């Protein structure tokens, strides 16, 4: 969030969209601003991580690229790249 105290409307909308990650609107919003990879800190999800992990696994838009400890890196695929 930074320290300037300024929050642009885009920031606010992305923040709202990301609260429902990994649903289609959150992924679409990320794609619209040019995101190609997503770093997920699984420990931040607590007991919800297993549910989120299952949702990610079912998503054709995300591909696991790297695992290190509790961190996961996913590629955010363009529609043409999906399996």
């Amino acid at each position: 969030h930074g320290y300037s105290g300024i929050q642009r409307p885009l920031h606010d909308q992305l923040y709202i969209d990301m609260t429902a990650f990994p649903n289609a609107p959150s992924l679409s919003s990320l794609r619209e601003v040019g995101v190609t990879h997503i770093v997920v800190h699984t420990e931040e999800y607590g007991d919800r991580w297993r549910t989120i992990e299952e949702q990610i696994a079912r998503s054709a838009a995300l591909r696991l690229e790297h695992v290190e400890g509790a961190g996961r890196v996913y590629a955010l695929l363009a529609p043409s790249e999906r399996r």
Side-chain angles (χ1 to χ4, degrees):
H1 294 284
Y3 298 100
S4 71
I6 298 170
Q7 286 183 283
R8 306 303 255 173
L10 174 60
H11 170 273
D12 293 340
Q13 187 58 52
L14 279 173
Y15 186 85
I16 290 166
D17 291 347
M18 290 307 296
T19 62
F21 175 82
N23 70 359
S26 68
L27 299 178
S28 177
S29 292
L30 290 171
R31 199 175 287 108
E32 286 175 19
V33 295
V35 171
T36 60
H37 289 80
I38 300 166
V39 177
V40 177
H41 299 275
T42 63
E43 72 277 9
E44 298 296 321
Y45 287 94
D47 294 338
R48 295 181 334 133
W49 171 241
R50 292 291 168 220
T51 301
I52 299 297
E53 185 176 38
E54 290 170 7
Q55 292 171 344
I56 290 171
R58 288 192 303 268
S59 173
L62 295 169
R63 179 180 63 224
L64 182 62
E65 296 283 314
H66 182 74
V67 175
E68 189 167 324
R72 306 286 186 274
V73 178
Y74 294 92
L76 179 57
L77 304 175
S80 61
E81 298 177 293
R82 294 181 191 172
R83 50 190 141 136

